Amino acid sequence: SMPWTRSDEGHFMTIPFYVAPEQLVRDKAEFARKGIARGRSIVAVDYADGVLLLAENPSTALHKISEVYDRIALAGVGKYKEFETLRKAGIRQADLMGYLYSRDDVTAMGLATAFAQTLGVIFTRDPKPFEVEILLAEISEDGQEHRLFRVTYDGTLFDERKYVAIGGKAEQLVEALG
């Protein structure tokens, strides 16, 4: 809905309207949250022998949970095409890091940070943010605590403990798990 006015030459031209930056950020965030809320939730629970990743998924073709690298899994909710783009980029990044340096240098923390940077840039720069939320789980080899990371649509990174949920009913699920 762009306001129109007639210029002196008789041609119509648009008058650009101003939107405050903070309003634009709020609108983008609301748009992304609504898209993610439509997605079915995923839960991750840390237990003695590993991490349980649980997703409701009626599709046999579209996978919401996948292995990214040794001992590292990735799960996502929201727009599948956008999640799939990030998943493939994550696998490439992990393979490259493992090849250039060492397999031990590939960590869920490193990947989560890369996803956070990417989603942050997309949220800030692009007119339409990605409608995705990502979960990374890493199984420890040395009996230490397993790692759980959640990355939101705007690039915010959370280091979670014991359990986490993402997607439409995340808040209720976290409450129930607690």
PDB file of all heavy atoms in Angstrom, residues 26-60:
ATOM      1  N   ARG A  26      11.062  -5.712  15.008  1.00  0.00           N
ATOM      2  CA  ARG A  26       9.916  -6.370  15.666  1.00  0.00           C
ATOM      3  C   ARG A  26       9.052  -7.123  14.651  1.00  0.00           C
ATOM      4  O   ARG A  26       8.621  -8.237  14.907  1.00  0.00           O
ATOM      5  CB  ARG A  26       9.061  -5.342  16.410  1.00  0.00           C
ATOM      6  CG  ARG A  26       9.606  -4.986  17.788  1.00  0.00           C
ATOM      7  CD  ARG A  26       8.553  -4.279  18.647  1.00  0.00           C
ATOM      8  NE  ARG A  26       8.106  -3.029  18.053  1.00  0.00           N
ATOM      9  CZ  ARG A  26       8.676  -1.841  18.289  1.00  0.00           C
ATOM     10  NH1 ARG A  26       9.720  -1.750  19.089  1.00  0.00           N
ATOM     11  NH2 ARG A  26       8.204  -0.750  17.724  1.00  0.00           N
ATOM     12  N   ASP A  27       8.809  -6.497  13.499  1.00  0.00           N
ATOM     13  CA  ASP A  27       7.987  -7.131  12.458  1.00  0.00           C
ATOM     14  C   ASP A  27       8.654  -8.392  11.912  1.00  0.00           C
ATOM     15  O   ASP A  27       8.007  -9.416  11.720  1.00  0.00           O
ATOM     16  CB  ASP A  27       7.711  -6.153  11.314  1.00  0.00           C
ATOM     17  CG  ASP A  27       6.783  -5.015  11.711  1.00  0.00           C
ATOM     18  OD1 ASP A  27       6.173  -5.104  12.801  1.00  0.00           O
ATOM     19  OD2 ASP A  27       6.673  -4.041  10.945  1.00  0.00           O
ATOM     20  N   LYS A  28       9.961  -8.319  11.668  1.00  0.00           N
ATOM     21  CA  LYS A  28      10.701  -9.485  11.181  1.00  0.00           C
ATOM     22  C   LYS A  28      10.654 -10.620  12.203  1.00  0.00           C
ATOM     23  O   LYS A  28      10.465 -11.781  11.850  1.00  0.00           O
ATOM     24  CB  LYS A  28      12.164  -9.120  10.905  1.00  0.00           C
ATOM     25  CG  LYS A  28      12.411  -8.397   9.614  1.00  0.00           C
ATOM     26  CD  LYS A  28      13.917  -8.188   9.486  1.00  0.00           C
ATOM     27  CE  LYS A  28      14.316  -7.543   8.215  1.00  0.00           C
ATOM     28  NZ  LYS A  28      15.783  -7.468   8.074  1.00  0.00           N
ATOM     29  N   ALA A  29      10.859 -10.279  13.471  1.00  0.00           N
ATOM     30  CA  ALA A  29      10.863 -11.278  14.543  1.00  0.00           C
ATOM     31  C   ALA A  29       9.501 -11.950  14.651  1.00  0.00           C
ATOM     32  O   ALA A  29       9.409 -13.176  14.756  1.00  0.00           O
ATOM     33  CB  ALA A  29      11.243 -10.635  15.870  1.00  0.00           C
ATOM     34  N   GLU A  30       8.437 -11.145  14.580  1.00  0.00           N
ATOM     35  CA  GLU A  30       7.085 -11.709  14.667  1.00  0.00           C
ATOM     36  C   GLU A  30       6.806 -12.628  13.485  1.00  0.00           C
ATOM     37  O   GLU A  30       6.244 -13.708  13.642  1.00  0.00           O
ATOM     38  CB  GLU A  30       6.059 -10.577  14.713  1.00  0.00           C
ATOM     39  CG  GLU A  30       4.647 -11.075  14.979  1.00  0.00           C
ATOM     40  CD  GLU A  30       3.617  -9.951  15.012  1.00  0.00           C
ATOM     41  OE1 GLU A  30       4.003  -8.779  15.145  1.00  0.00           O
ATOM     42  OE2 GLU A  30       2.427 -10.269  14.888  1.00  0.00           O
ATOM     43  N   PHE A  31       7.237 -12.214  12.301  1.00  0.00           N
ATOM     44  CA  PHE A  31       7.066 -13.023  11.088  1.00  0.00           C
ATOM     45  C   PHE A  31       7.768 -14.375  11.245  1.00  0.00           C
ATOM     46  O   PHE A  31       7.184 -15.427  10.984  1.00  0.00           O
ATOM     47  CB  PHE A  31       7.630 -12.268   9.883  1.00  0.00           C
ATOM     48  CG  PHE A  31       7.641 -13.069   8.618  1.00  0.00           C
ATOM     49  CD1 PHE A  31       6.492 -13.198   7.857  1.00  0.00           C
ATOM     50  CD2 PHE A  31       8.798 -13.695   8.197  1.00  0.00           C
ATOM     51  CE1 PHE A  31       6.503 -13.955   6.684  1.00  0.00           C
ATOM     52  CE2 PHE A  31       8.817 -14.455   7.034  1.00  0.00           C
ATOM     53  CZ  PHE A  31       7.667 -14.575   6.270  1.00  0.00           C
ATOM     54  N   ALA A  32       9.020 -14.344  11.697  1.00  0.00           N
ATOM     55  CA  ALA A  32       9.796 -15.581  11.864  1.00  0.00           C
ATOM     56  C   ALA A  32       9.177 -16.475  12.932  1.00  0.00           C
ATOM     57  O   ALA A  32       9.049 -17.689  12.740  1.00  0.00           O
ATOM     58  CB  ALA A  32      11.243 -15.250  12.212  1.00  0.00           C
ATOM     59  N   ARG A  33       8.783 -15.873  14.064  1.00  0.00           N
ATOM     60  CA  ARG A  33       8.185 -16.665  15.155  1.00  0.00           C
ATOM     61  C   ARG A  33       6.897 -17.351  14.711  1.00  0.00           C
ATOM     62  O   ARG A  33       6.650 -18.500  15.082  1.00  0.00           O
ATOM     63  CB  ARG A  33       7.928 -15.781  16.372  1.00  0.00           C
ATOM     64  CG  ARG A  33       9.158 -15.579  17.235  1.00  0.00           C
ATOM     65  CD  ARG A  33       8.811 -15.042  18.616  1.00  0.00           C
ATOM     66  NE  ARG A  33       8.191 -13.731  18.551  1.00  0.00           N
ATOM     67  CZ  ARG A  33       8.864 -12.578  18.657  1.00  0.00           C
ATOM     68  NH1 ARG A  33      10.155 -12.585  18.858  1.00  0.00           N
ATOM     69  NH2 ARG A  33       8.239 -11.424  18.594  1.00  0.00           N
ATOM     70  N   LYS A  34       6.086 -16.664  13.924  1.00  0.00           N
ATOM     71  CA  LYS A  34       4.831 -17.267  13.445  1.00  0.00           C
ATOM     72  C   LYS A  34       5.117 -18.463  12.546  1.00  0.00           C
ATOM     73  O   LYS A  34       4.444 -19.486  12.632  1.00  0.00           O
ATOM     74  CB  LYS A  34       3.990 -16.233  12.689  1.00  0.00           C
ATOM     75  CG  LYS A  34       3.222 -15.309  13.605  1.00  0.00           C
ATOM     76  CD  LYS A  34       2.358 -14.345  12.807  1.00  0.00           C
ATOM     77  CE  LYS A  34       1.561 -13.448  13.733  1.00  0.00           C
ATOM     78  NZ  LYS A  34       0.871 -12.384  12.997  1.00  0.00           N
ATOM     79  N   GLY A  35       6.117 -18.333  11.682  1.00  0.00           N
ATOM     80  CA  GLY A  35       6.487 -19.446  10.801  1.00  0.00           C
ATOM     81  C   GLY A  35       6.991 -20.642  11.584  1.00  0.00           C
ATOM     82  O   GLY A  35       6.642 -21.787  11.297  1.00  0.00           O
ATOM     83  N   ILE A  36       7.804 -20.391  12.600  1.00  0.00           N
ATOM     84  CA  ILE A  36       8.361 -21.466  13.433  1.00  0.00           C
ATOM     85  C   ILE A  36       7.268 -22.113  14.277  1.00  0.00           C
ATOM     86  O   ILE A  36       7.256 -23.331  14.465  1.00  0.00           O
ATOM     87  CB  ILE A  36       9.503 -20.916  14.323  1.00  0.00           C
ATOM     88  CG1 ILE A  36      10.684 -20.518  13.446  1.00  0.00           C
ATOM     89  CG2 ILE A  36       9.937 -21.941  15.360  1.00  0.00           C
ATOM     90  CD1 ILE A  36      11.685 -19.604  14.120  1.00  0.00           C
ATOM     91  N   ALA A  37       6.331 -21.309  14.764  1.00  0.00           N
ATOM     92  CA  ALA A  37       5.244 -21.821  15.613  1.00  0.00           C
ATOM     93  C   ALA A  37       4.385 -22.841  14.874  1.00  0.00           C
ATOM     94  O   ALA A  37       3.794 -23.726  15.483  1.00  0.00           O
ATOM     95  CB  ALA A  37       4.384 -20.673  16.116  1.00  0.00           C
ATOM     96  N   ARG A  38       4.335 -22.733  13.545  1.00  0.00           N
ATOM     97  CA  ARG A  38       3.551 -23.701  12.750  1.00  0.00           C
ATOM     98  C   ARG A  38       4.262 -25.051  12.670  1.00  0.00           C
ATOM     99  O   ARG A  38       3.650 -26.065  12.356  1.00  0.00           O
ATOM    100  CB  ARG A  38       3.315 -23.158  11.338  1.00  0.00           C
ATOM    101  CG  ARG A  38       2.285 -22.049  11.286  1.00  0.00           C
ATOM    102  CD  ARG A  38       1.872 -21.736   9.858  1.00  0.00           C
ATOM    103  NE  ARG A  38       2.935 -21.086   9.104  1.00  0.00           N
ATOM    104  CZ  ARG A  38       3.118 -19.768   9.038  1.00  0.00           C
ATOM    105  NH1 ARG A  38       2.310 -18.962   9.688  1.00  0.00           N
ATOM    106  NH2 ARG A  38       4.098 -19.259   8.327  1.00  0.00           N
ATOM    107  N   GLY A  39       5.583 -25.055  12.933  1.00  0.00           N
ATOM    108  CA  GLY A  39       6.357 -26.289  12.824  1.00  0.00           C
ATOM    109  C   GLY A  39       6.167 -27.190  14.029  1.00  0.00           C
ATOM    110  O   GLY A  39       5.988 -26.729  15.144  1.00  0.00           O
ATOM    111  N   ARG A  40       6.203 -28.484  13.784  1.00  0.00           N
ATOM    112  CA  ARG A  40       6.099 -29.447  14.885  1.00  0.00           C
ATOM    113  C   ARG A  40       7.376 -29.429  15.717  1.00  0.00           C
ATOM    114  O   ARG A  40       8.465 -29.314  15.189  1.00  0.00           O
ATOM    115  CB  ARG A  40       5.861 -30.845  14.327  1.00  0.00           C
ATOM    116  CG  ARG A  40       4.483 -31.001  13.721  1.00  0.00           C
ATOM    117  CD  ARG A  40       4.264 -32.457  13.313  1.00  0.00           C
ATOM    118  NE  ARG A  40       2.884 -32.686  12.989  1.00  0.00           N
ATOM    119  CZ  ARG A  40       2.371 -32.544  11.769  1.00  0.00           C
ATOM    120  NH1 ARG A  40       3.145 -32.130  10.781  1.00  0.00           N
ATOM    121  NH2 ARG A  40       1.102 -32.788  11.545  1.00  0.00           N
ATOM    122  N   SER A  41       7.217 -29.570  17.008  1.00  0.00           N
ATOM    123  CA  SER A  41       8.343 -29.426  17.936  1.00  0.00           C
ATOM    124  C   SER A  41       9.314 -30.595  17.903  1.00  0.00           C
ATOM    125  O   SER A  41       8.968 -31.700  17.491  1.00  0.00           O
ATOM    126  CB  SER A  41       7.811 -29.256  19.362  1.00  0.00           C
ATOM    127  OG  SER A  41       7.067 -28.072  19.447  1.00  0.00           O
ATOM    128  N   ILE A  42      10.525 -30.314  18.369  1.00  0.00           N
ATOM    129  CA  ILE A  42      11.569 -31.322  18.540  1.00  0.00           C
ATOM    130  C   ILE A  42      12.106 -31.182  19.964  1.00  0.00           C
ATOM    131  O   ILE A  42      12.273 -30.073  20.460  1.00  0.00           O
ATOM    132  CB  ILE A  42      12.719 -31.132  17.532  1.00  0.00           C
ATOM    133  CG1 ILE A  42      12.195 -31.314  16.102  1.00  0.00           C
ATOM    134  CG2 ILE A  42      13.863 -32.108  17.818  1.00  0.00           C
ATOM    135  CD1 ILE A  42      13.231 -31.028  15.039  1.00  0.00           C
ATOM    136  N   VAL A  43      12.370 -32.315  20.587  1.00  0.00           N
ATOM    137  CA  VAL A  43      12.879 -32.331  21.958  1.00  0.00           C
ATOM    138  C   VAL A  43      14.228 -33.043  21.969  1.00  0.00           C
ATOM    139  O   VAL A  43      14.414 -34.036  21.266  1.00  0.00           O
ATOM    140  CB  VAL A  43      11.890 -33.076  22.893  1.00  0.00           C
ATOM    141  CG1 VAL A  43      12.495 -33.297  24.260  1.00  0.00           C
ATOM    142  CG2 VAL A  43      10.591 -32.307  23.005  1.00  0.00           C
ATOM    143  N   ALA A  44      15.161 -32.533  22.768  1.00  0.00           N
ATOM    144  CA  ALA A  44      16.435 -33.215  23.008  1.00  0.00           C
ATOM    145  C   ALA A  44      16.599 -33.373  24.513  1.00  0.00           C
ATOM    146  O   ALA A  44      16.387 -32.428  25.268  1.00  0.00           O
ATOM    147  CB  ALA A  44      17.594 -32.407  22.443  1.00  0.00           C
ATOM    148  N   VAL A  45      16.945 -34.598  24.922  1.00  0.00           N
ATOM    149  CA  VAL A  45      17.138 -34.880  26.344  1.00  0.00           C
ATOM    150  C   VAL A  45      18.490 -35.557  26.526  1.00  0.00           C
ATOM    151  O   VAL A  45      18.781 -36.561  25.885  1.00  0.00           O
ATOM    152  CB  VAL A  45      16.011 -35.797  26.885  1.00  0.00           C
ATOM    153  CG1 VAL A  45      16.228 -36.079  28.364  1.00  0.00           C
ATOM    154  CG2 VAL A  45      14.643 -35.176  26.651  1.00  0.00           C
ATOM    155  N   ASP A  46      19.293 -34.992  27.401  1.00  0.00           N
ATOM    156  CA  ASP A  46      20.602 -35.530  27.735  1.00  0.00           C
ATOM    157  C   ASP A  46      20.414 -36.635  28.783  1.00  0.00           C
ATOM    158  O   ASP A  46      19.703 -36.442  29.758  1.00  0.00           O
ATOM    159  CB  ASP A  46      21.443 -34.378  28.309  1.00  0.00           C
ATOM    160  CG  ASP A  46      22.857 -34.781  28.683  1.00  0.00           C
ATOM    161  OD1 ASP A  46      23.166 -35.987  28.687  1.00  0.00           O
ATOM    162  OD2 ASP A  46      23.645 -33.872  28.989  1.00  0.00           O
ATOM    163  N   TYR A  47      21.004 -37.803  28.552  1.00  0.00           N
ATOM    164  CA  TYR A  47      20.964 -38.864  29.557  1.00  0.00           C
ATOM    165  C   TYR A  47      22.335 -39.525  29.621  1.00  0.00           C
ATOM    166  O   TYR A  47      23.219 -39.173  28.844  1.00  0.00           O
ATOM    167  CB  TYR A  47      19.832 -39.863  29.284  1.00  0.00           C
ATOM    168  CG  TYR A  47      20.025 -40.733  28.065  1.00  0.00           C
ATOM    169  CD1 TYR A  47      20.465 -42.043  28.187  1.00  0.00           C
ATOM    170  CD2 TYR A  47      19.765 -40.250  26.787  1.00  0.00           C
ATOM    171  CE1 TYR A  47      20.649 -42.845  27.075  1.00  0.00           C
ATOM    172  CE2 TYR A  47      19.938 -41.049  25.678  1.00  0.00           C
ATOM    173  CZ  TYR A  47      20.384 -42.337  25.822  1.00  0.00           C
ATOM    174  OH  TYR A  47      20.570 -43.121  24.724  1.00  0.00           O
ATOM    175  N   ALA A  48      22.517 -40.436  30.524  1.00  0.00           N
ATOM    176  CA  ALA A  48      23.847 -40.995  30.810  1.00  0.00           C
ATOM    177  C   ALA A  48      24.597 -41.462  29.565  1.00  0.00           C
ATOM    178  O   ALA A  48      25.773 -41.168  29.401  1.00  0.00           O
ATOM    179  CB  ALA A  48      23.715 -42.149  31.797  1.00  0.00           C
ATOM    180  N   ASP A  49      23.936 -42.197  28.683  1.00  0.00           N
ATOM    181  CA  ASP A  49      24.624 -42.800  27.545  1.00  0.00           C
ATOM    182  C   ASP A  49      24.561 -41.994  26.252  1.00  0.00           C
ATOM    183  O   ASP A  49      25.051 -42.439  25.227  1.00  0.00           O
ATOM    184  CB  ASP A  49      24.051 -44.198  27.284  1.00  0.00           C
ATOM    185  CG  ASP A  49      24.266 -45.125  28.483  1.00  0.00           C
ATOM    186  OD1 ASP A  49      25.316 -44.986  29.131  1.00  0.00           O
ATOM    187  OD2 ASP A  49      23.378 -45.938  28.772  1.00  0.00           O
ATOM    188  N   GLY A  50      23.901 -40.856  26.261  1.00  0.00           N
ATOM    189  CA  GLY A  50      23.815 -40.089  25.025  1.00  0.00           C
ATOM    190  C   GLY A  50      22.777 -38.996  25.099  1.00  0.00           C
ATOM    191  O   GLY A  50      22.457 -38.487  26.167  1.00  0.00           O
ATOM    192  N   VAL A  51      22.254 -38.662  23.923  1.00  0.00           N
ATOM    193  CA  VAL A  51      21.211 -37.646  23.810  1.00  0.00           C
ATOM    194  C   VAL A  51      20.074 -38.231  22.998  1.00  0.00           C
ATOM    195  O   VAL A  51      20.291 -38.811  21.932  1.00  0.00           O
ATOM    196  CB  VAL A  51      21.743 -36.364  23.109  1.00  0.00           C
ATOM    197  CG1 VAL A  51      20.618 -35.368  22.882  1.00  0.00           C
ATOM    198  CG2 VAL A  51      22.848 -35.721  23.922  1.00  0.00           C
ATOM    199  N   LEU A  52      18.855 -38.091  23.524  1.00  0.00           N
ATOM    200  CA  LEU A  52      17.667 -38.530  22.808  1.00  0.00           C
ATOM    201  C   LEU A  52      17.117 -37.340  22.041  1.00  0.00           C
ATOM    202  O   LEU A  52      16.862 -36.288  22.616  1.00  0.00           O
ATOM    203  CB  LEU A  52      16.603 -39.038  23.796  1.00  0.00           C
ATOM    204  CG  LEU A  52      15.214 -39.299  23.197  1.00  0.00           C
ATOM    205  CD1 LEU A  52      15.243 -40.508  22.272  1.00  0.00           C
ATOM    206  CD2 LEU A  52      14.199 -39.487  24.302  1.00  0.00           C
ATOM    207  N   LEU A  53      16.963 -37.488  20.721  1.00  0.00           N
ATOM    208  CA  LEU A  53      16.325 -36.467  19.890  1.00  0.00           C
ATOM    209  C   LEU A  53      14.995 -37.042  19.417  1.00  0.00           C
ATOM    210  O   LEU A  53      14.966 -38.117  18.820  1.00  0.00           O
ATOM    211  CB  LEU A  53      17.197 -36.116  18.682  1.00  0.00           C
ATOM    212  CG  LEU A  53      18.455 -35.318  18.972  1.00  0.00           C
ATOM    213  CD1 LEU A  53      19.387 -35.302  17.777  1.00  0.00           C
ATOM    214  CD2 LEU A  53      18.098 -33.903  19.360  1.00  0.00           C
ATOM    215  N   LEU A  54      13.937 -36.325  19.682  1.00  0.00           N
ATOM    216  CA  LEU A  54      12.604 -36.835  19.386  1.00  0.00           C
ATOM    217  C   LEU A  54      11.819 -35.796  18.596  1.00  0.00           C
ATOM    218  O   LEU A  54      11.708 -34.642  19.013  1.00  0.00           O
ATOM    219  CB  LEU A  54      11.883 -37.134  20.707  1.00  0.00           C
ATOM    220  CG  LEU A  54      10.509 -37.777  20.647  1.00  0.00           C
ATOM    221  CD1 LEU A  54      10.592 -39.171  20.040  1.00  0.00           C
ATOM    222  CD2 LEU A  54       9.917 -37.832  22.048  1.00  0.00           C
ATOM    223  N   ALA A  55      11.288 -36.228  17.437  1.00  0.00           N
ATOM    224  CA  ALA A  55      10.526 -35.307  16.592  1.00  0.00           C
ATOM    225  C   ALA A  55       9.266 -35.994  16.080  1.00  0.00           C
ATOM    226  O   ALA A  55       9.286 -37.173  15.739  1.00  0.00           O
ATOM    227  CB  ALA A  55      11.370 -34.862  15.404  1.00  0.00           C
ATOM    228  N   GLU A  56       8.195 -35.235  16.043  1.00  0.00           N
ATOM    229  CA  GLU A  56       6.977 -35.709  15.398  1.00  0.00           C
ATOM    230  C   GLU A  56       7.126 -35.371  13.925  1.00  0.00           C
ATOM    231  O   GLU A  56       7.303 -34.204  13.562  1.00  0.00           O
ATOM    232  CB  GLU A  56       5.770 -34.991  15.990  1.00  0.00           C
ATOM    233  CG  GLU A  56       4.452 -35.452  15.395  1.00  0.00           C
ATOM    234  CD  GLU A  56       3.289 -34.601  15.853  1.00  0.00           C
ATOM    235  OE1 GLU A  56       3.485 -33.695  16.675  1.00  0.00           O
ATOM    236  OE2 GLU A  56       2.168 -34.843  15.367  1.00  0.00           O
ATOM    237  N   ASN A  57       7.118 -36.374  13.068  1.00  0.00           N
ATOM    238  CA  ASN A  57       7.352 -36.126  11.647  1.00  0.00           C
ATOM    239  C   ASN A  57       6.535 -37.091  10.801  1.00  0.00           C
ATOM    240  O   ASN A  57       6.918 -38.236  10.608  1.00  0.00           O
ATOM    241  CB  ASN A  57       8.845 -36.276  11.335  1.00  0.00           C
ATOM    242  CG  ASN A  57       9.186 -35.832   9.929  1.00  0.00           C
ATOM    243  OD1 ASN A  57       8.348 -35.269   9.232  1.00  0.00           O
ATOM    244  ND2 ASN A  57      10.405 -36.080   9.515  1.00  0.00           N
ATOM    245  N   PRO A  58       5.405 -36.635  10.252  1.00  0.00           N
ATOM    246  CA  PRO A  58       4.584 -37.517   9.433  1.00  0.00           C
ATOM    247  C   PRO A  58       5.198 -37.818   8.061  1.00  0.00           C
ATOM    248  O   PRO A  58       4.803 -38.752   7.400  1.00  0.00           O
ATOM    249  CB  PRO A  58       3.272 -36.737   9.279  1.00  0.00           C
ATOM    250  CG  PRO A  58       3.625 -35.317   9.521  1.00  0.00           C
ATOM    251  CD  PRO A  58       4.825 -35.313  10.422  1.00  0.00           C
ATOM    252  N   SER A  59       6.198 -37.041   7.642  1.00  0.00           N
ATOM    253  CA  SER A  59       6.800 -37.224   6.321  1.00  0.00           C
ATOM    254  C   SER A  59       7.904 -38.280   6.358  1.00  0.00           C
ATOM    255  O   SER A  59       8.725 -38.300   7.261  1.00  0.00           O
ATOM    256  CB  SER A  59       7.390 -35.900   5.825  1.00  0.00           C
ATOM    257  OG  SER A  59       8.150 -36.112   4.655  1.00  0.00           O
ATOM    258  N   THR A  60       7.926 -39.126   5.350  1.00  0.00           N
ATOM    259  CA  THR A  60       9.001 -40.111   5.247  1.00  0.00           C
ATOM    260  C   THR A  60      10.140 -39.581   4.385  1.00  0.00           C
ATOM    261  O   THR A  60      11.223 -40.144   4.371  1.00  0.00           O
ATOM    262  CB  THR A  60       8.481 -41.428   4.632  1.00  0.00           C
ATOM    263  OG1 THR A  60       7.845 -41.118   3.381  1.00  0.00           O
ATOM    264  CG2 THR A  60       7.494 -42.114   5.547  1.00  0.00           C
TER     265      THR A  60
END
